[in-house]
């Protein structure tokens, strides 16, 4: 019921649901158990199509939320932030076979679903476990 305050609406960020990098960390742990040669740095970031300005993501989230959102500019004094952030996940893709299973729209839909359940007093653990199952099914299908 509160306005959403946005600072740096034109800042570009790599957006993803938390299950994408968590899946990468689990794949890395499995790989390390099998072969220590995988011990190096990895980034688990979204595809380049999901590197967008904050304002675009706010609009997509508002659509996923399905209810009107009031958005206001937060022009207050804030620490410096880079205008562009990105990740190179090519090593994770080539060495571990990792791919983000959910694109930005999938991730925002899952996020809206979770927060809607929280707002409505529904058991968020059930929502979380259901989302993990759906994510796992997508990962299994991709690996299959």
């Amino acid at each position: 019921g509160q306005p959403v305050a946005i600072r740096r609406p034109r800042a570009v960020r790599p957006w993803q649901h938390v299950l994408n990098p968590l899946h990468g960390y689990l794949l890395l742990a499995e790989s390390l158990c099998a072969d220590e040669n995988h011990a190096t740095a990895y980034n688990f970031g979204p595809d380049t199509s999901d590197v967008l300005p904050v304002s675009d993501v706010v609009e997509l989230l508002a659509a996923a939320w399905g209810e009107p959102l009031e958005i206001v500019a937060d022009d207050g004094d804030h620490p410096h932030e880079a205008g562009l952030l990105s990740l190179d996940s090519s090593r994770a893709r080539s060495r571990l076979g990792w791919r983000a299973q959910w694109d930005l729209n999938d991730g925002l839909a899952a996020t809206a679903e979770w927060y809607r359940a929280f707002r409505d007093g529904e058991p968020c653990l059930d929502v979380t476990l259901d989302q993990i199952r759906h994510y796992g099914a997508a990962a299994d299908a991709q690996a299959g």
Side-chain angles (χ1 to χ4, degrees), residues 12 34 50 71 82 96 110:
V12 176
D50 290 337
I71 301 166
L96 303 174

Side-chain angles (χ1 to χ4, degrees), residues 11-68:
V12 176
R13 303 286 183 256
W15 303 94
Q16 65 182 339
H17 192 276
V18 67
L19 292 180
N20 282 333
L22 289 178
H23 175 232
Y25 300 141
L26 292 172
L27 282 176
L28 177 57
E30 286 180 343
S31 295
L32 288 170
C33 287
D35 183 354
E36 291 180 4
N37 290 320
H38 288 283
T40 188
Y42 292 89
N43 286 321
F44 300 103
D47 291 333
T48 56
S49 62
D50 290 337
V51 178
L52 298 171
V54 171
S55 58
D56 290 5
V57 173
V58 170
E59 289 175 15
L60 291 169
L61 182 57
W65 185 250
E67 298 174 20

